[in-house]
Amino acid sequence: MALTLRSSNSFIKLKDSRCFKTLDDFSGMVCFAQIRPSCRLRAKSLMQETQFSREKTLNLEDRRNEKWEKLHKLSDTHGKNDSQVPVFVMLPLDTISNGGNLNKPRAMNASLMALKSAGIEGVTVDAWWGLVEKEGPMKYNWEGYAELVKMAQKHGLKLQVVMSFHQCGGNVGDSCSIPLPSWVLEEISKNPDLVYTDRSGRRNPEYLSLACDLLPVLRGRTIIQVYSDYMRSFRDRFKDYLGEVIAEIQVGMGPCGELRYPSYPESNGTWRFPGIGEYQCYDKYMRASLQASAEAIGKEDWGISGPHDTGQYNQFPEDTTFLRRDGTWNNDYGQFFLEWYLGMLLEHGDRILAAANRIFQGTGAKLSGKVAGIHWHCRTRSHAAELTAGYYNMRHQNGYLPIARMMGKYGVVMNFTCMEMRDGEQSENASRSPERLVRQVKKATKTAGTELAGENVLERYDAGAYSQVLTTSRSDSGNGLSAFTYLRMNKRLFEGENWKHLVEFVRNMSQYISLLGSKS
């Protein structure tokens, strides 16, 4: 069954709407239909009820619309099955102010009310390390988040909270700047090798190097201990809300919260799309690990440095010796290096998720981890941009399977991006195929028995993007989605046509997804 988004006014009638000021700007207005906040969005929409009353006047033998009958039958059973895909909306990056308070609480209250009226399951918020532990080691300020949790509870919304151990600023979509805690930056200034470093010696303060995870480099604590103490503090502060209002904890594991290396940093113009990026293995701790791994197999010269001639951030694969079609990525040394590079990433993810699993076990909150959708150069033989980020993905090797298995070991949901992108929308100059990439991840998670959730990577408001998400939510090419997070809430989202598309999308995700799945 082909599914298209319709521009129905069943839920949004602008002339009858109540209006509230938006979070972004009190001069803007949030408009939404007069739906009781306590009512959950049902699959039987006002439009369908109108259709039903009209159908009652017709003779039964004149009912030719078999599709309508199927949908009506489905709507009657909605809420009695687990086939619906709940939709969350990501809150602005600066939801919590630099002072640790909830930004624009009156506007946030109105925005949450609007989202609830549209049938949104909940909202997603970053719990920034740089804000919460800002004042010093183990001095946590959760007050702004506590206000948000209570507000979400009042409106009957769920919360996904991201343990954001990375800085905000310098990446795609970053609209504000939140650095790592000042006391952590002091330690970095004393020991610059605490952060990722490229071949030219450029340091990246976005996230601490995974090679330092088990070293007591943060005033007597290891990095994993610091992350664990942070998560434990969150658990203790919000224990009465976990598993109820706070439905999910997403554990940050790298730049942008994603399990990857910062191979394509946009800050200061270092990287521009669709460059291949660069390997981030030149801090002294990563180099020591590489040397030890090479010595362990009797190849000491392989551990002296990372691979030569891997190119620069903004080059293409064929500009390099290592990453071109017949490059040295595919010889014995290349395979050794790529396996080590991925292995370090997997160990890092395993350490953090093992700690999170211990801390949140029994709370009722689900755990998730995010993986980047690096869709450029993914149709080349070397998958260059994926390789520099740490994803050892090849034509005959699903590089997302070991990640899915690692997450599945702890019952962690894999959250993957670029769910809204179509191959036909991409230019031909960078061998892009987001749809192929999504299919790979869906198959990997299904094979590993790991749950899959999704996000859009770019801010999109059009019916075409929503329709693509509906398509990728199906289980016909692997796992279907267990949830979807829309990026991101802002003033534009609440504008007339954009808002109508969102409401229609949410209704379709809850109403039609099981029918789509039945066709797989």
Side-chain angles (χ1 to χ4, degrees):
M1 169 182 170
L3 181 65
T4 58
L5 288 171
R6 297 173 302 229
S7 57
S8 166
N9 289 324
S10 301
F11 285 78
I12 297 297
K13 296 182 179 179
L14 296 179
K15 65 180 180 180
D16 297 327
S17 303
R18 290 178 289 169
C19 296
F20 292 82
K21 294 179 180 179
T22 67
L23 183 68
D24 288 353
D25 188 344
F26 271 91
S27 65
M29 307 299 282
V30 176
C31 298
F32 62 102
Q34 294 181 342
I35 301 172
R36 290 176 298 170
S38 60
C39 294
R40 293 186 62 82
L41 191 69
R42 300 176 187 276
K44 183 189 288 183
S45 67
L46 298 179
M47 179 182 68
Q48 289 174 301
E49 290 174 354
T50 301
Q51 288 175 316
F52 179 71
S53 63
R54 184 167 61 247
E55 284 287 338
K56 289 196 296 185
T57 65
L58 300 176
N59 192 300
L60 286 175
E61 64 186 10
D62 291 330
R63 290 188 181 180
R64 301 185 181 92
N65 194 341
E66 182 179 351
K67 181 186 301 183
W68 183 91
E69 291 182 5
K70 287 181 179 179
L71 292 178
H72 178 67
K73 182 179 180 181
L74 177 62
S75 70
D76 285 341
T77 61
H78 178 58
K80 299 178 182 179
N81 58 62
D82 298 323
S83 59
Q84 64 182 12
V85 179
V87 177
F88 290 77
V89 172
M90 197 175 296
L91 296 181
L93 295 168
D94 61 352
T95 291
I96 305 300
S97 71
N98 284 330
N101 301 312
L102 180 62
N103 250 332
K104 302 178 183 177
R106 289 176 57 199
M108 176 63 77
N109 186 65
S111 298
L112 295 186
M113 189 183 300
L115 293 177
K116 178 63 179 179
S117 79
I120 294 295
E121 180 78 6
V123 292
T124 304
V125 65
D126 289 279
W128 294 107
W129 185 26
L131 295 181
V132 174
E133 203 174 353
K134 182 179 183 178
E135 298 304 319
M138 304 189 77
K139 295 179 181 178
Y140 307 107
N141 177 9
W142 297 107
E143 296 315 303
Y145 293 97
E147 189 176 353
L148 178 65
V149 169
K150 291 175 183 176
M151 192 177 289
Q153 182 183 44
K154 181 180 74 172
H155 292 294
L157 291 168
K158 303 293 186 185
L159 266 175
Q160 295 174 324
V161 182
V162 186
M163 300 287 106
S164 296
F165 298 116
H166 61 288
Q167 79 167 17
C168 178
N171 275 298
V172 178
D174 286 353
S175 56
C176 65
S177 177
I178 304 172
L180 301 185
S182 57
W183 62 273
V184 174
L185 295 178
E186 288 177 15
E187 297 305 312
I188 294 171
S189 68
K190 298 173 189 174
N191 181 5
D193 285 289
L194 292 181
V195 297
Y196 288 113
T197 307
D198 66 19
R199 189 175 54 183
S200 300
R202 280 172 290 205
R203 310 284 189 178
N204 189 332
E206 186 177 353
Y207 187 80
L208 296 175
S209 172
L210 58 79
C212 309
D213 278 353
L214 302 179
L215 302 175
V217 292
L218 295 181
R219 301 191 182 180
R221 289 187 294 165
T222 70
I223 293 174
I224 295 298
Q225 286 174 332
V226 170
Y227 294 163
S228 297
D229 290 338
Y230 184 88
M231 291 188 285
R232 194 174 294 109
S233 172
F234 177 85
R235 180 202 63 191
D236 294 345
R237 178 66 177 79
F238 296 102
K239 60 184 177 182
D240 294 334
Y241 300 93
L242 286 167
E244 297 294 333
V245 181
I246 302 173
E248 183 176 316
I249 306 296
Q250 186 176 116
V251 185
M253 293 178 282
C256 294
E258 297 165 338
L259 181 63
R260 64 171 176 86
Y261 295 97
S263 57
Y264 49 99
E266 281 200 306
S267 59
N268 303 318
T270 302
W271 172 86
R272 295 185 306 275
F273 181 84
I276 56 176
E278 290 191 23
Y279 290 102
Q280 307 292 311
C281 59
Y282 293 91
D283 64 77
K284 68 181 182 182
Y285 303 105
M286 288 290 283
R287 291 173 66 178
S289 172
L290 179 61
Q291 184 69 55
S293 296
E295 291 175 355
I297 61 170
K299 298 284 187 179
E300 293 186 17
D301 56 325
W302 287 1
I304 296 173
S305 178
H308 301 291
D309 196 18
T310 56
Q312 299 176 351
Y313 286 103
N314 296 310
Q315 290 185 303
F316 275 51
E318 293 306 310
D319 298 330
T320 77
T321 299
F322 189 79
L323 293 168
R324 67 190 183 193
R325 178 179 175 81
D326 57 347
T328 50
W329 59 269
N330 202 30
N331 66 18
D332 289 343
Y333 165 74
Q335 292 174 22
F336 157 78
F337 173 80
L338 294 172
E339 287 172 2
W340 167 81
Y341 199 58
L342 169 63
M344 292 289 283
L345 195 66
L346 290 172
E347 289 176 9
H348 173 65
D350 191 275
R351 284 190 286 264
I352 296 181
L353 294 181
N357 184 59
R358 288 192 299 270
I359 292 164
F360 292 106
Q361 195 167 36
T363 64
K366 184 177 288 188
L367 293 179
S368 67
K370 191 172 176 181
V371 174
I374 302 177
H375 55 87
W376 56 103
H377 304 299
C378 74
R379 288 194 289 114
T380 63
R381 195 172 175 203
S382 69
H383 291 245
E386 292 166 90
L387 291 189
T388 57
Y391 304 151
Y392 191 8
N393 190 36
M394 296 286 133
R395 182 178 301 175
H396 304 297
Q397 173 180 303
N398 192 328
Y400 301 94
L401 184 55
I403 298 173
R405 284 176 171 153
M406 182 271 292
M407 291 187 175
K409 182 166 65 170
Y410 301 106
V412 173
V413 179
M414 181 190 285
N415 191 313
F416 195 72
T417 60
C418 72
M419 293 290 174
E420 86 286 11
M421 301 180 77
R422 288 190 172 107
D423 288 359
E425 298 171 337
Q426 313 306 314
S427 61
E428 294 294 322
N429 70 328
S431 300
R432 291 182 270 176
S433 182
E435 291 185 69
R436 176 191 292 186
L437 198 60
V438 168
R439 286 194 298 270
Q440 263 200 303
V441 170
K442 291 173 74 173
K443 289 177 181 177
T445 51
K446 185 172 184 178
T447 300
T450 304
E451 208 170 319
L452 177 65
E455 286 183 14
N456 52 307
V457 69
L458 300 174
E459 290 185 5
R460 295 275 298 270
Y461 308 95
D462 57 287
Y466 287 129
S467 179
Q468 181 63 14
V469 174
L470 285 163
T471 298
T472 57
S473 296
R474 298 174 59 175
S475 59
D476 57 345
S477 61
N479 262 3
L481 298 186
S482 62
F484 178 78
T485 300
Y486 174 81
L487 182 153
R488 152 178 336 264
M489 188 178 87
N490 57 27
K491 184 177 178 179
R492 288 189 64 192
L493 180 63
F494 296 104
E495 294 173 355
E497 287 300 310
N498 295 344
W499 180 248
K500 285 162 61 177
H501 286 153
L502 175 71
V503 172
E504 187 77 8
F505 166 69
V506 173
R507 181 163 63 88
N508 284 335
M509 288 289 272
S510 67
Q511 180 178 347
Y512 301 144
I513 208 68
S514 64
L515 187 61
L516 284 169
S518 70
K519 298 294 183 182
S520 62

